[in-house]
Amino acid sequence: MEHFDNGVVPAGRTVWWWLALGAVLVGVTLRVWQWWLGTSFFIDELAVIHNLVSRPVGALVSTPLDEAQVAPPLFLVVEQACLKVFGSSELSLRLPPLLASLAALLLLWAVARHVLDARMVPLALLTFAVGFTFVHYSNQVKQYASDTTVSLLVLWLALRLRDVRAPSARFWVAAALAGLVLPFYSQASLMFFAGCGAALLLLAFLDLGRPRLRATLAVVGAWAVGSLLSLVLAKQTLLSTDQAFMHYFWREGMLPLTGRLPVVFAGELAERWANGLGWPHPTSIWVALTFVGVALLWWQQWRVALLLTVPWVLSAAAAVLQQFPLRQRLMDFLVPTLILFVFVAFQTMVRWAWCRSRGLGIAALLACAAPVFYSTTRHNLPPFCVEDAKTLYAQLARVRQPNEAIYAYYGNGQYLRWYGPQYGFSPASYYLGHCYRHEPGAERQYLKEVDAFRGRQMWLIMMHFDPYEEKDLTAYLSTIGRPGRRITVLSRMPDESIGYKVAYAQLYDLTDARRSARTSAATFPLVPTPDRPADEICWSCYGPQVIDNSQQLALTCQ
């Protein structure tokens, strides 16, 4: 079986090369399909977009973003350029993450050829190509796709700089320049700049005669300068309240420096295999194989293993030090190497089987392919869409009568501000509720808001809602009025990857005086709710979901 170390690629194009190309084309097709469908922006995307449309480029990159958002400055500049050149459509603003994700497919192919046997490369690429998290975030106006791409680029640069045949001087210069620029496009990639840079320096010192030490020092020095400058800028553009909010929101991704650390870390890896990539349960199998693959890679290609594992060590250390969460989509930039580790373990099994017989080797190869193909059945194909505001508002605009009022739960704030005018919903045509979770008697405040619509017919629009608040509202409205027509729009996402599975608009007839007299906002029996931690009460109204009719609700938690 062919095995490629240090980027040595065999002459000609084998069947495995064509299969790898096919895997890349599958990934391209899924990503372009998702992009071309132009599904509704999600609430987090709209928070970023609000900053893009409301700020000049200078303020965009030099001052803290509004609505609890954090994004790399160059990413924002590129997005704003698309906004100005191509317009404000979903296709325009999602073009940068799409292109980044397409580039990531090619970069992983290049990296995989340094790490894996030819027969394993197509399967590793297919895992990445069909992985839900990579398809979904290739079409989100967020930096997660760029984080993955830049991290893979840094890893590929590091592997090329360690090729048996030293790269040209031009390549060394290009690698240095990349380190001066790319940290401003991807903050998460700093783990790779720091990790691969440290590994390159160590390897250069260990080389006999140290022929590449000076060039390596220059490249890694440029990486260090770019990374430090990007960190300084990031620190200046992050409010203390935003930092506290992010720390609360991603608190579960901060690893504990206790005996539970291995268990928590393994749990985060398992979550990516289950929800990010859709591999079958028990995912503890893939977590175990990850560590087996790491050990085997160190045994087989310790220099390559060093480049792949040091970024993981730094990321875990940052999570232990409460500086960077290692969780869910924020660790997607590390997942391509996670895939490579598992396929290193797979390839050892396939090599063993192939040495005994070709038939046994083919059987082992098919066994390795099984979880990849399973992921395509467990995670439906695109389109993926969370909270399809466009469809809901379009349907509501068609059926709503002029005399029917609209009460929009406050989770609609971002959606109505962006999509409302497109479907005839001006701010004067609806009442947008407020968030009261941080106030005493919060549950009854929502009931008081809808009391203003007694004697009228009213549409209740529920998006991005808390289930307990929704139950209180709908139970109260069903008591003082009669439910009528309902418009329901389901999210299209894998079951385990989303907390907001439905958005709907419900018509209530509140004109019956006898029904209205049954109860009041002050006396209505509320749905029992669990006690919320103080941090959750403090921060749950913070961020993009609290836009009201006039301005963003500013809430600072001390």
Side-chain angles (χ1 to χ4, degrees):
M1 172 175 280
E2 301 94 341
H3 185 63
F4 312 122
D5 293 326
N6 301 315
V8 179
V9 182
R13 292 176 178 174
T14 66
V15 64
W16 308 111
W17 186 94
W18 289 106
L19 287 174
L21 177 61
V24 168
L25 293 178
V26 167
V28 170
T29 301
L30 293 178
R31 286 155 176 76
V32 173
W33 179 17
Q34 173 71 38
W35 171 77
W36 184 253
L37 291 169
T39 55
S40 298
F41 287 124
F42 183 52
I43 191 170
D44 290 344
E45 294 180 272
L46 291 171
V48 174
I49 293 169
H50 173 68
N51 286 277
L52 297 176
V53 300
S54 63
R55 293 178 173 217
V57 66
L60 191 65
V61 301
S62 63
T63 59
L65 299 179
D66 294 330
E67 302 177 15
Q69 294 302 302
V70 177
L74 276 183
F75 171 80
L76 295 171
V77 170
V78 171
E79 284 288 347
Q80 193 174 71
C82 287
L83 176 70
K84 293 180 177 180
V85 175
F86 302 118
S88 59
S89 70
E90 290 84 2
L91 297 184
S92 168
L93 295 177
R94 286 173 174 160
L95 185 60
L98 171 69
L99 295 177
S101 190
L102 296 180
L105 288 163
L106 298 177
L107 285 167
L108 181 59
W109 191 357
V111 169
R113 294 166 75 183
H114 284 80
V115 180
L116 299 173
D117 291 344
R119 292 176 177 86
M120 288 292 106
V121 172
L123 289 179
L125 285 174
L126 189 60
T127 300
F128 184 77
V130 303
F132 155 73
T133 190
F134 298 112
V135 176
H136 177 58
Y137 288 109
S138 72
N139 279 272
Q140 292 276 291
V141 187
K142 301 288 286 185
Q143 60 268 36
Y144 308 123
S146 302
D147 289 341
T148 302
T149 304
V150 176
S151 297
L152 280 169
L153 177 57
V154 176
L155 182 56
W156 176 74
L157 289 172
L159 290 167
R160 285 278 290 114
L161 293 174
R162 293 300 307 175
D163 277 351
V164 172
R165 296 180 181 178
S168 65
R170 182 178 298 177
F171 187 87
W172 287 92
V173 171
L177 292 176
L180 291 173
V181 175
L182 292 178
F184 296 93
Y185 201 81
S186 167
Q187 294 159 343
S189 68
L190 297 187
M191 301 299 179
F192 274 83
F193 277 112
C196 290
L200 285 172
L201 285 177
L202 177 60
L203 292 173
F205 271 106
L206 294 176
D207 285 341
L208 184 64
R210 299 174 179 172
R212 305 188 193 189
L213 181 57
R214 292 180 61 185
T216 301
L217 283 169
V219 169
V220 175
W223 290 5
V225 170
S227 298
L228 288 173
L229 290 176
S230 70
L231 282 175
V232 170
L233 181 59
K235 185 69 174 177
Q236 291 178 345
T237 56
L238 185 64
L239 294 173
S240 59
T241 49
D242 289 337
Q243 186 174 10
F245 170 66
M246 292 297 175
H247 193 278
Y248 159 74
F249 189 84
W250 291 107
R251 62 195 180 281
E252 295 179 358
M254 304 298 183
L255 299 180
L257 191 57
T258 66
R260 294 184 58 252
L261 192 152
V263 176
V264 175
F265 181 63
E268 296 300 338
L269 297 182
E271 188 279 334
R272 284 294 80 191
W273 283 112
N275 302 334
L277 298 172
W279 279 33
H281 291 277
T283 50
S284 56
I285 297 173
W286 319 123
V287 175
L289 282 176
T290 298
F291 291 106
V292 170
V294 171
L296 289 169
L297 189 60
W298 274 94
W299 178 48
Q300 297 166 1
Q301 303 183 71
W302 72 269
R303 292 175 178 83
V304 172
L306 184 69
L307 292 169
L308 267 66
T309 54
V310 176
W312 274 96
V313 173
L314 291 182
S315 299
V320 168
L321 295 173
Q322 312 291 295
Q323 297 301 307
F324 186 87
L326 206 59
R327 183 171 176 79
Q328 296 178 350
R329 59 187 180 272
L330 288 192
M331 64 184 293
D332 275 353
F333 73 102
L334 290 162
V335 173
T337 54
L338 193 70
I339 295 170
L340 294 176
F341 291 144
V342 164
F343 279 96
V344 168
F346 278 164
Q347 80 178 3
T348 303
M349 178 182 70
V350 172
R351 284 176 181 172
W352 178 88
W354 212 284
C355 287
R356 276 141 187 84
S357 75
R358 185 179 182 87
L360 188 60
I362 292 174
L365 197 59
L366 292 175
C368 296
V372 186
F373 289 109
Y374 172 87
S375 69
T376 65
T377 59
R378 180 166 175 263
H379 283 184
N380 294 329
L381 296 175
F384 300 122
C385 185
V386 189
E387 298 181 329
D388 189 356
K390 291 198 297 185
T391 298
L392 181 64
Y393 294 162
Q395 293 184 19
L396 179 60
R398 285 196 296 268
V399 302
R400 174 182 172 248
Q401 299 301 311
N403 63 319
E404 294 169 350
I406 295 177
Y407 172 81
Y409 177 83
Y410 65 82
N412 285 269
Q414 291 281 19
Y415 295 115
L416 280 171
R417 183 173 63 187
W418 185 260
Y419 287 118
Q422 298 180 32
Y423 296 98
F425 300 125
S426 66
S429 66
Y430 58 82
Y431 179 86
L432 182 61
H434 297 252
C435 179
Y436 296 103
R437 288 181 208 165
H438 58 289
E439 297 182 8
E443 296 86 354
R444 298 196 183 278
Q445 296 295 330
Y446 302 113
L447 308 189
K448 290 179 181 178
E449 285 190 333
V450 296
D451 265 346
F453 297 94
R454 286 174 181 259
R456 302 183 64 184
Q457 294 194 32
M458 182 204 80
W459 284 95
L460 170 70
I461 310 180
M462 297 297 295
M463 294 188 69
H464 209 78
F465 55 82
D466 177 274
Y468 294 102
E469 294 172 355
E470 187 245 359
K471 288 178 181 177
D472 285 331
L473 270 170
T474 55
Y476 183 63
L477 288 170
S478 296
T479 301
I480 65 173
R482 298 181 186 276
R485 183 167 186 169
R486 180 184 174 101
I487 303 170
T488 300
V489 178
L490 299 177
S491 296
R492 182 178 170 85
M493 299 281 279
D495 289 342
E496 298 179 51
S497 64
I498 179 175
Y500 303 97
K501 297 184 179 182
V502 64
Y504 68 87
Q506 175 75 62
L507 180 63
Y508 288 94
D509 184 349
L510 306 180
T511 60
D512 189 329
R514 294 180 61 185
R515 293 182 69 91
S516 293
R518 289 180 178 179
T519 188
S520 68
T523 60
F524 182 74
L526 299 173
V527 175
T529 59
D531 292 334
R532 299 178 188 262
D535 284 349
E536 181 179 342
I537 294 172
C538 177
W539 290 114
S540 58
C541 283
Y542 189 85
Q545 66 269 40
V546 299
I547 306 302
D548 64 18
N549 287 315
S550 58
Q551 60 183 356
Q552 180 182 6
L553 176 63
L555 175 65
T556 302
C557 296
Q558 302 295 337

